[in-house]
Amino acid sequence: MPDLLLELRSEEIPARMQRKAAGDLKKLVTDALVEAGLSYEGAREYWTPRRLTLDIRGLTARSADVREERKGPRTDANEKAIEGFLRGAGLSSISEAQVQSDPKKGDFFVAIISKPGRAAEEIVAAVMPDIIRNFPWPKSMRWGKASVKPGSLRWVRPLQSIVCTFGTEHEETVVIPFEIDGIVASNVTYGHRFHAPGPITVKRFEDYASSLEKAYVVLDAERRKDIILHDARDVAFANGLELVEDEGLLEEVSGLVEWPQVLMGSFEEDYLSIPSEIIRLTIKTNQKCFVTRPQGSHLPLEGGDRSEAAGGGDHLFQQNHPTPALRAGPPPQGEGALSNRFILVANIQASDGGKEIIHGNGKVVRARLSDALHFWKRDQGDLPDLETLEASAKKFGLDLKKPLDQRMAKLDALKVTFHAKLGSQGERVARIRALAAELAKITGADAALVDRAVVLAKADLRTEAVGEFPELQGVMGRKYASLQGENASVATAIEDHYKPQGPSDRVPEDKVAITVALADKLDTLVGFWAIDEKPTGSKDPYALRRAALGVVRILLERGVRLPLLATTRDADLLAFFHDRLKVYLRDLGARHDLIDAVLTPEADDLLMVARRVEVLTAFITSEDGKNLLAGTKRATQLLAAEEKKGTVVADGVSEALLKLDAEKDLFAAVKAASAEASDAIAKEDFRSAMAALSKLRAPVDRFFEDVLVNDEDAAIRANRLALLRLIREATGTVADFSKIAG
């Protein structure tokens, strides 16, 4: 069976778009071919900075012939109905239709529509122009003279050539020469921009990939990543160092080069007085380079993106206010020291061994580190306008002799906006402060330390380091807090109050940090709910889902009992927490029906909900669990059916109306099991509660064997239904068993 090779070559595609674009190309092309009646054995996408490539193997050479019978109106139908049938079936006259008979419906017209199959080349040529024209780039552009014409081609960067060849492994391939805006598909591609810019004629994927390799292009992005990673490790090791690995940077750099060449540069050791997080981000952000550390040392990972729009910080809500000059402070202390060597990845094999490339990158790195050192020193000095900050300092109990306190006072005095409808950052801190004071009573955190952590938590938003690197919100606050002698729990809480940022991020451990993190996230959620800025569909600009998941994770993973409804006073927001809880528990492997069985609309102690789900999950597969499920389901389902029909159910069970031994025994068993279960639930011993209720299996089975619930006597019937309701009420204290499958 023939194979299809497709390449779309352009100017440099932004690295962040390449992987998805290649996947989109694969899906769009294969979907279109399948829809047109073709099948294929396998398809794989490739990408480099200058090309998207698709290799489709075992494509059918031709789509199958199609014969379709389309049923029409009765033969005695009116003229308009027949005309509509002819148009829909593509017939010119009714004589082209057949007549079929149905014993019940009589004679009716049938159109036999035959569609001959099409050659794969014809199908590819037909679908590709539309795919290219409507390709889902996040951003695209027009170029050249054709760009002035309406409807001209848009692409992420100017599209330069298209390769499209088709053929079997042992036969000569053919070119499928479709055309779009003057670019005609051919069998000619081009290698590396500098090392091999000439044309290369290709036939099928194997010689295409090998020809590109000879022309200094590594087609496979994963292989480029592997080359970069292993060469970088080797270069670092040869110099007595370790590479500080960064998957995101590795992905980006592999999308910047077609022929990766790993080199090592350096900067002055004086710059190592800058915190490692700043050095790493400076070199990564400005030069796309990796940092190194002495062998055996440890470097903590940098903080995640904490912008509110990206998921849980505050930087994007700031106004742009300049920060006056500050004086230098002491250098940072502690683990995580970097070396003064960095790893860069070039796209050319330089004749001088890369000396000029290293020199050029080093100049830029030094300039950026010089700026970073300047920020680091200035942030540790006094602001020049301290007299204007006294009112804000008094409001928050700040000490204007301390640099971080000054920045918080400045943040408040400038009325830096958090959100137009939710006030300033200072107003937000005041809200978080009040909420955190109440939460400290629940978490058991030191109230004074919580208060101090809250008033300093946002202060680093007014530092120059965070102004340059918003990703370091919290991280820099912790460093500056430690430098000015804050309690270790306060410093930790300043960094950790943003956490967890996502499902894989760590959860705060210190009680002070837990308290401030909860207060911060709850204030965000309550605030945006109050102004009706809730997530809709896939849109969540303020990352409220992530904030709610953060609350859920803290409560469950740190064992915090928090009455959310009393805290937030919003039933709709509680339902939002329930949704996040369901997602979290399902990700941990909990069955959705067991979650639904435990989670009631008013349940606001999420830790207890999770514990009930955990116990129910383990219990339901045991013999007692099977008894409990079987013993209650029949009773609750029958009761629900009668309630739906409007059958009268007595308000309570009258012992005088219990005529048979089976119903008397069941009534006694329910009372005993309910009492035992209630005692267990009061002690939060849910397993014992379930075990107590599972004893109802035998009396329930006997009841249904010996007792007719729908007795002719209305009073007896209502009383027996009330007995079933007692079972539902008793088991409902643990879970709604009607929602459990099986």
Side-chain angles (χ1 to χ4, degrees), residues 511-545:
K511 287 184 178 180
V512 176
I514 289 170
T515 307
V516 182
L518 284 172
D520 178 78
K521 291 168 177 60
L522 287 170
D523 175 77
T524 297
L525 289 158
V526 170
F528 282 105
W529 243 252
I531 62 173
D532 200 27
E533 288 279 2
K534 307 169 188 176
T536 56
S538 61
K539 294 182 180 179
D540 187 11
Y542 303 111
L544 301 181
R545 291 188 181 95

Side-chain angles (χ1 to χ4, degrees), residues 161-231:
S161 67
I162 301 172
V163 168
C164 190
T165 65
F166 182 74
T168 62
E169 183 179 356
H170 304 293
E171 296 177 355
E172 194 67 27
T173 57
V174 297
V175 172
I176 303 178
F178 62 87
E179 181 268 341
I180 181 167
D181 274 29
I183 303 173
V184 181
S186 69
N187 60 354
V188 176
T189 189
Y190 299 81
H192 191 282
R193 182 185 292 279
F194 303 110
H195 290 315
I200 303 169
T201 302
V202 298
K203 295 182 178 180
R204 51 184 60 84
F205 180 79
E206 283 73 16
D207 73 286
Y208 165 80
S210 62
S211 296
L212 284 180
E213 188 87 16
K214 294 173 185 175
Y216 300 89
V217 174
V218 178
L219 181 65
D220 188 343
E222 295 303 323
R223 185 164 157 253
R224 291 199 305 276
K225 287 175 66 174
D226 191 63
I227 291 170
I228 294 168
L229 180 60
H230 285 85
D231 286 359

Side-chain angles (χ1 to χ4, degrees), residues 639-709:
L639 175 62
E642 292 302 317
E643 287 176 330
K644 188 175 182 180
K645 291 189 291 185
T647 306
V648 175
V649 182
D651 294 335
V653 176
S654 169
E655 290 191 65
L657 292 174
L658 299 175
K659 303 299 182 183
L660 303 176
D661 289 343
E663 56 185 332
K664 293 176 184 178
D665 292 346
L666 178 58
F667 181 55
V670 172
K671 287 197 297 183
S674 295
E676 189 177 344
S678 296
D679 289 342
I681 289 171
K683 299 173 186 175
E684 297 180 356
D685 184 356
F686 303 115
R687 181 172 183 85
S688 293
M690 294 177 192
L693 293 169
S694 69
K695 297 173 185 177
L696 295 175
R697 170 70 183 273
V700 166
D701 286 349
R702 185 183 171 200
F703 175 84
F704 281 113
E705 288 172 4
D706 298 353
V707 178
L708 177 63
V709 175

